[in-house]
Amino acid sequence: MNEGRCSHWNGTAGRYCHQTDHVRPYLQGPRCPVHTPAALAGLPEPDSTPLGAVVIDLAAERRRRRS
C-alpha cells in the first residue's frame, strides 16, 4: 500500500479510499481527513500534543549530531 494514500477500506464500495490530499500517518495506516479515527467516530480531531514537539526536537537533535 502506498504510504502517500489513504488506506481506509470502504467495504460498501469494495475499494480503498486512496485519497492523497492531507494524508497523515496513524496506527491503522495512512488516513485522509475524512477517514481519521476521530472522523470515523464522529468526534473532532484532538489538538496537537506536546509529544509531537518532543519527536520533532529529537529529530533535530539527531541531525545536529550528524553534522
Side-chain angles (χ1 to χ4, degrees), residues 39-58:
L40 293 173
L43 302 171
E45 292 295 322
D47 292 333
S48 295
T49 63
L51 178 59
V54 171
V55 171
I56 292 168
D57 290 342
L58 290 174

Side-chain angles (χ1 to χ4, degrees), residues 5-65:
R5 295 180 174 182
C6 177
S7 63
H8 174 76
W9 175 255
N10 182 337
T12 305
R15 63 179 181 85
Y16 289 97
C17 170
H18 284 195
Q19 171 70 287
T20 57
D21 294 332
H22 307 290
V23 173
R24 294 175 44 199
Y26 288 89
L27 291 175
Q28 300 86 343
R31 295 290 191 259
C32 68
V34 174
H35 296 122
T36 65
L40 293 173
L43 302 171
E45 292 295 322
D47 292 333
S48 295
T49 63
L51 178 59
V54 171
V55 171
I56 292 168
D57 290 342
L58 290 174
E61 180 64 20
R62 287 185 190 131
R63 284 192 302 274
R64 187 186 66 77
R65 288 183 182 180

